[in-house]
Amino acid sequence: MNNTAVRLDHVQLRFGSETIFQDLSFEVRQGEFVCLLGPSGCGKSTSLRLMGDLLQANGGSVEVAGLPPSQAWEQVAFVFQSPRLAPWRNVMDNVLMGVELRSGRAAARQQTAKAQGLLDLVGLGTSAHKFPAMLSGGERQRVAIARALAVDPSIVLMDEPFSALDPNTRLRLRQEIVRIWQETQRTVVFVTHDIEEAIWLADRIVLLSNKPTRVLESIVVDAPRPRHLHQDPTLQALRQRLEQLFHTLGFDPSTETLAP
């Protein structure tokens, strides 16, 4: 039985005269939590757009759940850096918005109990009546996660969903997303340029190069969860290794800018 959720095989992509991907290949297994790690601008988010049928490759192949992305869109949900909530909808209606767009308003109304269960799952069970302006940044992102799960995807694509949050909220949501992933058993492809975040979250880290982007390494992280980066020598060594690899790309991982 094929347990591959996502496969990129020798993918090529160009924007005008710029080559983004020349020969990008990697796989994500069903139920796996994979972090795509790499310097800013290397095409991590672009790879998610290929998986989600928001872009088409110029060469090679992309498969999602064994199908071309154009045929697998119902298997996929996005969580973006910005929650992208409708300010005129309350939390419940925002969670149901994806269902409504895909299946209509009547179908969404039938999913109210399920949506309430998802709000319970993300810790917002008593906030269904609130509007986005009444929520903190972290709470709004929790609504976005519940909205993604409401369409019952097998694969969740997460595009730096915590990068705009303060450090304490980011840490809490990292813990929460691991818990939610363990409970729902979805496949997660999570984009980040934060080395610590990738080590904290991932079953496997796919490290990408500068453009034209290729896979530098695929690194299994098999430390038990919850992970304690500053107390585990193995994780500390992995962090140092990844920092060194970032430096070889000409980037300073502490500032996410080109090194002098």
Side-chain angles (χ1 to χ4, degrees):
M1 180 178 178
N2 186 357
N3 70 343
T4 301
V6 177
R7 176 184 288 116
L8 277 68
D9 187 24
H10 300 289
V11 168
Q12 302 171 29
L13 181 68
R14 294 181 299 276
F15 292 156
S17 61
E18 183 180 23
T19 299
I20 311 300
F21 304 142
Q22 181 60 49
D23 188 18
L24 182 64
S25 299
F26 64 86
E27 295 184 358
V28 179
R29 294 184 292 276
Q30 291 177 12
E32 195 174 23
F33 197 127
V34 168
C35 281
L36 302 183
L37 177 67
S40 297
C42 74
K44 302 182 297 295
S45 299
T46 300
S47 70
L48 293 191
R49 293 182 174 90
L50 289 171
M51 299 172 202
D53 195 36
L54 301 180
L55 285 173
Q56 292 187 346
N58 299 115
S61 65
V62 180
E63 291 185 3
V64 177
L67 299 168
S70 61
Q71 298 177 29
W73 60 271
E74 290 186 334
Q75 303 284 334
V76 174
F78 272 94
V79 180
F80 297 97
Q81 181 175 342
S82 168
R84 302 188 181 188
L85 304 183
W88 59 89
R89 286 178 174 248
N90 64 23
V91 164
M92 174 62 73
D93 288 341
N94 267 288
V95 171
L96 290 170
M97 185 163 61
V99 179
E100 183 176 329
L101 291 172
R102 292 190 180 193
S103 304
R105 184 169 296 179
R109 289 298 113 197
Q110 294 173 2
Q111 297 296 319
T112 300
K114 177 182 176 181
Q116 182 61 54
L118 290 170
L119 287 173
D120 293 338
L121 181 68
V122 301
L124 291 174
T126 61
S127 299
H129 65 287
K130 294 181 180 179
F131 287 84
M134 304 166 66
L135 305 177
S136 68
E139 288 171 332
R140 288 194 290 271
Q141 199 60 290
R142 289 169 187 259
V143 176
I145 293 168
R147 181 180 60 197
L149 294 173
V151 297
D152 200 25
S154 61
I155 302 164
V156 182
L157 308 177
M158 307 190 79
D159 190 3
E160 300 194 83
F162 309 148
S163 62
L165 303 174
D166 66 86
N168 289 333
T169 302
R170 192 158 60 238
L171 178 59
R172 288 197 300 272
L173 282 184
R174 286 176 189 170
Q175 296 168 331
E176 285 296 295
I177 199 62
V178 168
R179 177 184 62 80
I180 292 167
W181 164 71
Q182 290 173 328
E183 290 190 24
T184 63
Q185 299 184 324
R186 299 296 193 271
T187 303
V188 176
V189 186
F190 189 105
V191 160
T192 183
H193 55 249
D194 186 319
I195 289 172
E196 183 173 308
E197 184 165 72
I199 295 172
W200 181 285
L201 294 173
D203 287 330
R204 187 161 51 92
I205 297 170
V206 176
L207 180 63
L208 302 180
S209 72
N210 294 321
K211 291 181 289 196
T213 304
R214 67 189 190 284
V215 174
L216 289 179
E217 289 198 43
S218 179
I219 302 168
V220 174
V221 188
D222 55 8
R225 298 178 172 94
R227 292 172 180 162
H228 304 284
L229 273 63
H230 302 292
Q231 302 172 23
D232 187 325
T234 301
L235 296 180
Q236 289 179 356
L238 175 56
R239 178 174 183 165
Q240 292 173 358
R241 178 183 170 198
L242 288 169
E243 287 176 347
Q244 290 170 355
L245 287 168
F246 260 63
H247 280 295
T248 67
L249 298 174
F251 279 78
D252 180 348
S254 65
T255 62
E256 304 159 15
T257 58
L258 281 169

mmCIF file of all heavy atoms in Angstrom, residues 75-103:
data_model
loop_
_atom_site.group_PDB
_atom_site.id
_atom_site.type_symbol
_atom_site.label_atom_id
_atom_site.label_comp_id
_atom_site.label_asym_id
_atom_site.label_seq_id
_atom_site.Cartn_x
_atom_site.Cartn_y
_atom_site.Cartn_z
ATOM 1 N N GLN A 75 -8.600 17.198 -0.615
ATOM 2 C CA GLN A 75 -7.789 16.546 0.410
ATOM 3 C C GLN A 75 -6.932 17.533 1.201
ATOM 4 O O GLN A 75 -6.315 17.156 2.196
ATOM 5 C CB GLN A 75 -6.853 15.522 -0.247
ATOM 6 C CG GLN A 75 -7.542 14.461 -1.065
ATOM 7 C CD GLN A 75 -8.199 13.414 -0.200
ATOM 8 O OE1 GLN A 75 -7.785 13.174 0.927
ATOM 9 N NE2 GLN A 75 -9.245 12.789 -0.710
ATOM 10 N N VAL A 76 -6.904 18.795 0.768
ATOM 11 C CA VAL A 76 -5.915 19.755 1.255
ATOM 12 C C VAL A 76 -6.596 20.956 1.901
ATOM 13 O O VAL A 76 -7.640 21.420 1.446
ATOM 14 C CB VAL A 76 -5.019 20.233 0.082
ATOM 15 C CG1 VAL A 76 -4.071 21.337 0.529
ATOM 16 C CG2 VAL A 76 -4.227 19.054 -0.478
ATOM 17 N N ALA A 77 -5.983 21.458 2.982
ATOM 18 C CA ALA A 77 -6.399 22.730 3.575
ATOM 19 C C ALA A 77 -5.154 23.527 3.923
ATOM 20 O O ALA A 77 -4.104 22.963 4.258
ATOM 21 C CB ALA A 77 -7.247 22.510 4.819
ATOM 22 N N PHE A 78 -5.267 24.865 3.855
ATOM 23 C CA PHE A 78 -4.169 25.780 4.129
ATOM 24 C C PHE A 78 -4.368 26.475 5.465
ATOM 25 O O PHE A 78 -5.495 26.816 5.846
ATOM 26 C CB PHE A 78 -4.096 26.859 3.053
ATOM 27 C CG PHE A 78 -3.279 26.512 1.842
ATOM 28 C CD1 PHE A 78 -3.884 25.963 0.718
ATOM 29 C CD2 PHE A 78 -1.912 26.747 1.824
ATOM 30 C CE1 PHE A 78 -3.145 25.649 -0.404
ATOM 31 C CE2 PHE A 78 -1.162 26.435 0.700
ATOM 32 C CZ PHE A 78 -1.780 25.886 -0.421
ATOM 33 N N VAL A 79 -3.250 26.726 6.153
ATOM 34 C CA VAL A 79 -3.204 27.689 7.250
ATOM 35 C C VAL A 79 -2.073 28.650 6.905
ATOM 36 O O VAL A 79 -0.917 28.246 6.796
ATOM 37 C CB VAL A 79 -2.936 27.030 8.613
ATOM 38 C CG1 VAL A 79 -2.891 28.090 9.711
ATOM 39 C CG2 VAL A 79 -4.003 25.990 8.930
ATOM 40 N N PHE A 80 -2.424 29.925 6.718
ATOM 41 C CA PHE A 80 -1.460 30.918 6.256
ATOM 42 C C PHE A 80 -0.846 31.674 7.440
ATOM 43 O O PHE A 80 -1.263 31.537 8.592
ATOM 44 C CB PHE A 80 -2.135 31.903 5.307
ATOM 45 C CG PHE A 80 -2.664 31.277 4.043
ATOM 46 C CD1 PHE A 80 -3.998 30.914 3.936
ATOM 47 C CD2 PHE A 80 -1.828 31.042 2.968
ATOM 48 C CE1 PHE A 80 -4.499 30.339 2.776
ATOM 49 C CE2 PHE A 80 -2.313 30.464 1.793
ATOM 50 C CZ PHE A 80 -3.647 30.113 1.707
ATOM 51 N N GLN A 81 0.146 32.488 7.123
ATOM 52 C CA GLN A 81 0.788 33.324 8.152
ATOM 53 C C GLN A 81 -0.229 34.255 8.789
ATOM 54 O O GLN A 81 -0.238 34.453 10.006
ATOM 55 C CB GLN A 81 1.936 34.119 7.539
ATOM 56 C CG GLN A 81 2.675 34.989 8.540
ATOM 57 C CD GLN A 81 3.887 35.663 7.915
ATOM 58 O OE1 GLN A 81 4.373 35.254 6.872
ATOM 59 N NE2 GLN A 81 4.380 36.702 8.546
ATOM 60 N N SER A 82 -1.094 34.836 7.983
ATOM 61 C CA SER A 82 -2.191 35.661 8.484
ATOM 62 C C SER A 82 -3.439 34.790 8.604
ATOM 63 O O SER A 82 -3.726 33.983 7.704
ATOM 64 C CB SER A 82 -2.463 36.819 7.527
ATOM 65 O OG SER A 82 -3.682 37.462 7.840
ATOM 66 N N PRO A 83 -4.209 34.917 9.697
ATOM 67 C CA PRO A 83 -5.392 34.061 9.857
ATOM 68 C C PRO A 83 -6.444 34.240 8.768
ATOM 69 O O PRO A 83 -7.223 33.326 8.504
ATOM 70 C CB PRO A 83 -5.948 34.483 11.223
ATOM 71 C CG PRO A 83 -4.804 35.110 11.937
ATOM 72 C CD PRO A 83 -3.966 35.756 10.886
ATOM 73 N N ARG A 84 -6.520 35.431 8.166
ATOM 74 C CA ARG A 84 -7.456 35.692 7.078
ATOM 75 C C ARG A 84 -8.900 35.389 7.481
ATOM 76 O O ARG A 84 -9.659 34.733 6.741
ATOM 77 C CB ARG A 84 -7.073 34.906 5.817
ATOM 78 C CG ARG A 84 -5.669 35.205 5.321
ATOM 79 C CD ARG A 84 -5.370 34.574 3.981
ATOM 80 N NE ARG A 84 -4.014 34.859 3.536
ATOM 81 C CZ ARG A 84 -3.523 34.556 2.336
ATOM 82 N NH1 ARG A 84 -4.289 33.947 1.446
ATOM 83 N NH2 ARG A 84 -2.280 34.853 2.006
ATOM 84 N N LEU A 85 -9.301 35.884 8.653
ATOM 85 C CA LEU A 85 -10.676 35.717 9.104
ATOM 86 C C LEU A 85 -11.545 36.830 8.549
ATOM 87 O O LEU A 85 -11.080 37.956 8.337
ATOM 88 C CB LEU A 85 -10.731 35.732 10.633
ATOM 89 C CG LEU A 85 -9.857 34.719 11.373
ATOM 90 C CD1 LEU A 85 -10.084 34.825 12.872
ATOM 91 C CD2 LEU A 85 -10.097 33.304 10.878
ATOM 92 N N ALA A 86 -12.807 36.529 8.330
ATOM 93 C CA ALA A 86 -13.767 37.544 7.904
ATOM 94 C C ALA A 86 -14.213 38.322 9.139
ATOM 95 O O ALA A 86 -14.824 37.731 10.047
ATOM 96 C CB ALA A 86 -14.960 36.884 7.223
ATOM 97 N N PRO A 87 -13.936 39.632 9.215
ATOM 98 C CA PRO A 87 -14.220 40.376 10.443
ATOM 99 C C PRO A 87 -15.701 40.483 10.774
ATOM 100 O O PRO A 87 -16.060 40.703 11.933
ATOM 101 C CB PRO A 87 -13.607 41.753 10.167
ATOM 102 C CG PRO A 87 -13.506 41.854 8.683
ATOM 103 C CD PRO A 87 -13.274 40.458 8.195
ATOM 104 N N TRP A 88 -16.579 40.320 9.778
ATOM 105 C CA TRP A 88 -18.020 40.442 10.018
ATOM 106 C C TRP A 88 -18.647 39.108 10.433
ATOM 107 O O TRP A 88 -19.829 39.053 10.757
ATOM 108 C CB TRP A 88 -18.719 40.947 8.748
ATOM 109 C CG TRP A 88 -18.524 40.042 7.563
ATOM 110 C CD1 TRP A 88 -19.306 38.977 7.193
ATOM 111 C CD2 TRP A 88 -17.468 40.118 6.600
ATOM 112 N NE1 TRP A 88 -18.812 38.390 6.065
ATOM 113 C CE2 TRP A 88 -17.688 39.066 5.664
ATOM 114 C CE3 TRP A 88 -16.369 40.968 6.411
ATOM 115 C CZ2 TRP A 88 -16.827 38.840 4.585
ATOM 116 C CZ3 TRP A 88 -15.526 40.744 5.339
ATOM 117 C CH2 TRP A 88 -15.765 39.687 4.442
ATOM 118 N N ARG A 89 -17.862 38.045 10.459
ATOM 119 C CA ARG A 89 -18.353 36.738 10.878
ATOM 120 C C ARG A 89 -17.854 36.430 12.288
ATOM 121 O O ARG A 89 -16.703 36.719 12.613
ATOM 122 C CB ARG A 89 -17.847 35.636 9.943
ATOM 123 C CG ARG A 89 -18.514 35.578 8.582
ATOM 124 C CD ARG A 89 -17.867 34.479 7.759
ATOM 125 N NE ARG A 89 -18.544 34.256 6.493
ATOM 126 C CZ ARG A 89 -19.233 33.164 6.184
ATOM 127 N NH1 ARG A 89 -19.355 32.187 7.068
ATOM 128 N NH2 ARG A 89 -19.801 33.029 5.012
ATOM 129 N N ASN A 90 -18.692 35.811 13.099
ATOM 130 C CA ASN A 90 -18.205 35.389 14.404
ATOM 131 C C ASN A 90 -17.316 34.151 14.249
ATOM 132 O O ASN A 90 -17.114 33.639 13.133
ATOM 133 C CB ASN A 90 -19.360 35.158 15.385
ATOM 134 C CG ASN A 90 -20.283 34.020 14.987
ATOM 135 O OD1 ASN A 90 -19.906 33.120 14.238
ATOM 136 N ND2 ASN A 90 -21.505 34.051 15.497
ATOM 137 N N VAL A 91 -16.768 33.689 15.351
ATOM 138 C CA VAL A 91 -15.809 32.587 15.309
ATOM 139 C C VAL A 91 -16.430 31.341 14.680
ATOM 140 O O VAL A 91 -15.826 30.694 13.818
ATOM 141 C CB VAL A 91 -15.285 32.301 16.732
ATOM 142 C CG1 VAL A 91 -14.600 30.939 16.802
ATOM 143 C CG2 VAL A 91 -14.318 33.400 17.174
ATOM 144 N N MET A 92 -17.641 30.985 15.101
ATOM 145 C CA MET A 92 -18.287 29.808 14.536
ATOM 146 C C MET A 92 -18.434 29.929 13.027
ATOM 147 O O MET A 92 -18.129 28.987 12.269
ATOM 148 C CB MET A 92 -19.656 29.598 15.193
ATOM 149 C CG MET A 92 -20.485 28.466 14.573
ATOM 150 S SD MET A 92 -19.708 26.835 14.726
ATOM 151 C CE MET A 92 -19.941 26.517 16.479
ATOM 152 N N ASP A 93 -18.905 31.077 12.571
ATOM 153 C CA ASP A 93 -19.117 31.245 11.138
ATOM 154 C C ASP A 93 -17.798 31.278 10.368
ATOM 155 O O ASP A 93 -17.748 30.860 9.205
ATOM 156 C CB ASP A 93 -19.912 32.527 10.871
ATOM 157 C CG ASP A 93 -21.370 32.396 11.277
ATOM 158 O OD1 ASP A 93 -21.840 31.248 11.412
ATOM 159 O OD2 ASP A 93 -22.026 33.426 11.484
ATOM 160 N N ASN A 94 -16.730 31.768 10.991
ATOM 161 C CA ASN A 94 -15.421 31.708 10.344
ATOM 162 C C ASN A 94 -14.938 30.272 10.212
ATOM 163 O O ASN A 94 -14.361 29.896 9.184
ATOM 164 C CB ASN A 94 -14.403 32.545 11.117
ATOM 165 C CG ASN A 94 -14.294 33.961 10.575
ATOM 166 O OD1 ASN A 94 -13.751 34.188 9.501
ATOM 167 N ND2 ASN A 94 -14.822 34.916 11.329
ATOM 168 N N VAL A 95 -15.152 29.456 11.243
ATOM 169 C CA VAL A 95 -14.743 28.055 11.167
ATOM 170 C C VAL A 95 -15.493 27.335 10.052
ATOM 171 O O VAL A 95 -14.926 26.502 9.334
ATOM 172 C CB VAL A 95 -14.957 27.353 12.525
ATOM 173 C CG1 VAL A 95 -14.744 25.845 12.403
ATOM 174 C CG2 VAL A 95 -14.021 27.928 13.576
ATOM 175 N N LEU A 96 -16.764 27.679 9.880
ATOM 176 C CA LEU A 96 -17.590 27.017 8.876
ATOM 177 C C LEU A 96 -17.417 27.595 7.470
ATOM 178 O O LEU A 96 -17.978 27.049 6.513
ATOM 179 C CB LEU A 96 -19.063 27.104 9.278
ATOM 180 C CG LEU A 96 -19.466 26.270 10.491
ATOM 181 C CD1 LEU A 96 -20.879 26.625 10.932
ATOM 182 C CD2 LEU A 96 -19.353 24.783 10.181
ATOM 183 N N MET A 97 -16.642 28.662 7.336
ATOM 184 C CA MET A 97 -16.555 29.346 6.048
ATOM 185 C C MET A 97 -15.984 28.452 4.952
ATOM 186 O O MET A 97 -16.458 28.458 3.814
ATOM 187 C CB MET A 97 -15.722 30.620 6.182
ATOM 188 C CG MET A 97 -15.677 31.463 4.913
ATOM 189 S SD MET A 97 -15.113 33.146 5.221
ATOM 190 C CE MET A 97 -13.469 32.846 5.864
ATOM 191 N N GLY A 98 -14.958 27.651 5.284
ATOM 192 C CA GLY A 98 -14.390 26.772 4.271
ATOM 193 C C GLY A 98 -15.388 25.737 3.796
ATOM 194 O O GLY A 98 -15.477 25.435 2.600
ATOM 195 N N VAL A 99 -16.162 25.172 4.727
ATOM 196 C CA VAL A 99 -17.200 24.207 4.360
ATOM 197 C C VAL A 99 -18.242 24.871 3.476
ATOM 198 O O VAL A 99 -18.693 24.303 2.467
ATOM 199 C CB VAL A 99 -17.862 23.626 5.627
ATOM 200 C CG1 VAL A 99 -18.966 22.640 5.238
ATOM 201 C CG2 VAL A 99 -16.829 22.945 6.515
ATOM 202 N N GLU A 100 -18.615 26.092 3.829
ATOM 203 C CA GLU A 100 -19.615 26.811 3.047
ATOM 204 C C GLU A 100 -19.139 27.076 1.626
ATOM 205 O O GLU A 100 -19.895 26.908 0.651
ATOM 206 C CB GLU A 100 -19.949 28.131 3.747
ATOM 207 C CG GLU A 100 -21.030 28.937 3.070
ATOM 208 C CD GLU A 100 -21.392 30.193 3.846
ATOM 209 O OE1 GLU A 100 -21.291 30.162 5.097
ATOM 210 O OE2 GLU A 100 -21.753 31.194 3.206
ATOM 211 N N LEU A 101 -17.868 27.466 1.495
ATOM 212 C CA LEU A 101 -17.330 27.755 0.163
ATOM 213 C C LEU A 101 -17.240 26.494 -0.695
ATOM 214 O O LEU A 101 -17.421 26.550 -1.909
ATOM 215 C CB LEU A 101 -15.955 28.416 0.287
ATOM 216 C CG LEU A 101 -15.953 29.841 0.853
ATOM 217 C CD1 LEU A 101 -14.529 30.309 1.113
ATOM 218 C CD2 LEU A 101 -16.672 30.802 -0.090
ATOM 219 N N ARG A 102 -16.964 25.374 -0.049
ATOM 220 C CA ARG A 102 -16.811 24.132 -0.805
ATOM 221 C C ARG A 102 -18.136 23.441 -1.080
ATOM 222 O O ARG A 102 -18.338 22.874 -2.153
ATOM 223 C CB ARG A 102 -15.893 23.158 -0.056
ATOM 224 C CG ARG A 102 -14.450 23.604 0.020
ATOM 225 C CD ARG A 102 -13.544 22.503 0.554
ATOM 226 N NE ARG A 102 -12.157 22.951 0.632
ATOM 227 C CZ ARG A 102 -11.113 22.143 0.815
ATOM 228 N NH1 ARG A 102 -11.317 20.843 0.945
ATOM 229 N NH2 ARG A 102 -9.881 22.621 0.878
ATOM 230 N N SER A 103 -19.048 23.502 -0.103
ATOM 231 C CA SER A 103 -20.246 22.654 -0.194
ATOM 232 C C SER A 103 -21.562 23.396 -0.070
ATOM 233 O O SER A 103 -22.621 22.782 -0.195
ATOM 234 C CB SER A 103 -20.186 21.570 0.898
ATOM 235 O OG SER A 103 -18.999 20.827 0.799
#
